Amino acid sequence: MFYTLRCMVLRAMKKTQNSPRILRILALALSFLVQMTLVLETSYATEVIKIAVGIPLTGPLAKQGQEVANAVKLAAEEWNERGGVLGARIEVLEADDQGNPQMGVTAAEKIIADPAVMGVVYGITSVTCIPASEKFEAANLVMISPGCTNPKVTDRGLKVVNRVCARDDAQGPAGAIFAVEELKAKKIAIFDDGTTGPRGAADEFEKKAKELGAQTFRFVIKAGDKDLRSILGTVPKDVQVIYASLWSPEASLMAKQLPEVGLDVRMIGPDGQFEPVDYIQASGGAAEGNYVSFLAPDMRKVPEAAEFVKKFEAQYGPLSSYGPLAYEAANIILTAIQKVGKADRAAIRDAVRATKDYRGILGVPISFDEKGDVAGGVIYFYQVKNNAFEQVKTIVVK
């Protein structure tokens, strides 16, 4: 309403430029309306505090993104049941980045423009996390990522960026250790899709595998490819493992098409494949026996997560991927807001970075280092057994 009145006053000022007295009256009216607008916006911001979530809500990664959004909403609901934060009700602002860097920037700008947003749970794709975080840095708006693993996400020295997941320079080497020491692989084919996150994990895997004495063969596909048989046909038939640093749609397709080119070999993949519907079910049984690394333990075996798992699955269905990490991130941000005691983006940014030994649902204390990385580098390995993920190994990379 005030915006409309301001427009009307401005139009009237243009029409009355030859009448100084009327012009002064209209100028006073415009000043009053601007002040009223600021008062109302400030009042609204103190009645409602928002936490934003930026993830792919549409496109091939939508299932993982929806789980992240639902986990953040569950955290907000629980805080609201306890009275909110700073006496204000908590609302969740969702922004769809589609896993696309340009859309990531648009999503970040949408989040920043809302003065009630005091923190962001952002990103499962490093290719969107990196450009979006630069926008958040300029706005002093803190973000915690549940799934952006590329080292560059935190290596740029940004004050706002933190993550509750391990980095690819832990996950990639852990995959190589698992392949060489557990599976006794000496010849390994390595695939990625050329994008920031998968390529980074593949690079780190290859470096460590060579260090451990394995022979590696490198391949690149394009995200969204629907037929991988031509490139799979060039893989040496005597490789013992394929490290497929791919998202679940392409990984499930690869698992299905390997037998068609005469390859009988197990795959290992990073966190992007930890999705039972999009990977295990989509493979039609071909993923059985394959391995996937992930950034959190089996939540059903973590006592601290029992209540979260129960509530989440009652409301949103089976837990499958980044939800626990997002829930932890949302609670860390809301705890920081409570500690700061006021809706101040810069102060909340600093309070989140100072997080030390936060104990939530992940079963391990969360502390952030000077870069915003979570202390420790614990990687959890799962095997596909009977159409489900079963945790089989934990590797800590230092």
Side-chain angles (χ1 to χ4, degrees):
M1 181 182 74
F2 282 98
Y3 175 76
T4 304
L5 288 171
R6 281 156 61 185
C7 292
M8 291 172 63
V9 170
L10 286 168
R11 284 198 295 271
M13 291 175 72
K14 287 181 181 177
K15 292 179 180 176
T16 57
Q17 290 180 354
N18 294 327
S19 175
R21 182 170 176 275
I22 295 176
L23 203 57
R24 283 197 296 276
I25 293 172
L26 289 172
L28 287 171
L30 179 62
S31 175
F32 171 77
L33 289 170
V34 168
Q35 292 299 320
M36 286 301 295
T37 302
L38 290 173
V39 167
L40 285 177
E41 286 180 349
T42 302
S43 173
Y44 176 72
T46 55
E47 290 174 1
V48 173
I49 285 180
K50 293 184 182 179
I51 182 169
V53 55
I55 23 72
L57 292 170
T58 57
L61 306 181
K63 190 165 188 311
Q64 291 101 321
Q66 289 287 355
E67 179 169 312
V68 168
N70 290 337
V72 173
K73 285 188 281 190
L74 177 58
E77 287 170 12
E78 292 175 346
W79 276 75
N80 283 333
E81 288 169 2
R82 300 193 296 269
V85 63
L86 308 183
R89 183 168 53 85
I90 301 162
E91 292 184 358
V92 176
L93 174 65
E94 297 179 51
D96 182 8
D97 70 14
Q98 299 178 18
N100 174 294
Q102 286 74 37
M103 291 304 299
V105 169
T106 301
E109 289 172 342
K110 172 187 173 181
I111 290 167
I112 291 164
D114 190 330
V117 175
M118 291 296 124
V120 191
V121 177
Y122 194 92
I124 60 171
T125 57
S126 297
V127 73
T128 59
C129 265
I130 291 172
S133 60
E134 289 169 2
K135 294 290 182 181
F136 294 138
E137 179 77 2
N140 289 324
L141 186 57
V142 71
M143 62 167 273
I144 302 179
S145 173
C148 291
T149 51
N150 190 277
K152 290 180 183 174
V153 172
T154 51
D155 279 355
R156 294 163 298 150
L158 302 185
K159 294 180 180 178
V160 300
V161 181
N162 308 275
R163 53 182 160 195
V164 289
C165 56
R167 298 160 50 110
D168 281 337
D169 49 11
Q171 183 171 216
I177 292 168
F178 187 78
V180 176
E181 296 185 354
E182 292 292 321
L183 303 183
K184 311 300 181 188
K186 298 185 183 304
K187 290 187 176 181
I188 305 170
I190 304 170
F191 282 79
D192 70 82
D193 66 5
T195 62
T196 305
R199 185 175 61 241
D203 289 346
E204 297 294 340
F205 177 97
E206 183 174 30
K207 194 188 316 178
K208 187 66 178 180
K210 287 181 174 177
E211 183 183 313
L212 294 172
Q215 184 179 5
T216 60
F217 305 87
R218 195 70 185 260
F219 303 89
V220 179
I221 67 162
K222 185 179 178 184
D225 278 352
K226 301 301 180 188
D227 189 345
L228 305 177
R229 286 173 293 187
S230 59
I231 192 168
L232 289 175
T234 66
V235 175
K237 294 294 186 287
D238 59 348
V239 298
Q240 291 137 340
V241 162
I242 290 179
Y243 186 72
S245 187
L246 307 170
W247 288 91
S248 48
E250 288 77 27
S252 62
L253 179 65
M254 180 176 285
K256 283 197 291 189
Q257 293 187 338
L258 282 174
E260 299 178 32
V261 298
L263 282 169
D264 180 15
V265 59
R266 287 194 176 158
M267 294 166 53
I268 304 174
D271 58 289
Q273 292 166 33
F274 193 74
E275 215 305 307
V277 174
D278 290 349
Y279 181 51
I280 298 176
Q281 293 183 26
S283 77
E288 186 72 14
N290 285 348
Y291 299 92
V292 172
S293 62
F294 195 57
L295 314 165
D298 184 344
M299 287 292 107
R300 290 167 186 82
K301 296 180 179 176
V302 178
E304 296 93 328
E307 189 65 18
F308 163 73
V309 173
K310 182 180 176 183
K311 283 185 179 179
F312 185 94
E313 296 195 336
Q315 196 160 342
Y316 299 111
L319 191 65
S320 60
S321 59
Y322 299 95
L325 294 151
Y327 178 85
E328 197 88 313
N331 278 304
I332 290 171
I333 291 172
L334 291 167
T335 300
I337 295 171
Q338 191 174 49
K339 282 183 180 175
V340 167
K342 57 184 176 180
D344 181 327
R345 285 181 173 179
I348 294 164
R349 172 202 65 194
D350 295 341
V352 168
R353 179 61 60 85
T355 297
K356 186 174 176 57
D357 293 333
Y358 174 87
R359 292 189 175 275
I361 63 162
L362 296 180
V364 293
I366 300 293
S367 301
F368 294 126
D369 65 14
E370 68 280 2
K371 291 181 178 179
D373 283 318
V374 67
V378 185
I379 305 297
Y380 305 88
F381 284 84
Y382 295 79
Q383 186 173 23
V384 179
K385 292 182 179 179
N386 301 317
N387 289 320
F389 289 113
E390 180 178 317
Q391 188 176 328
V392 294
K393 184 79 176 177
T394 299
I395 293 179
V396 179
V397 177
K398 297 180 180 178

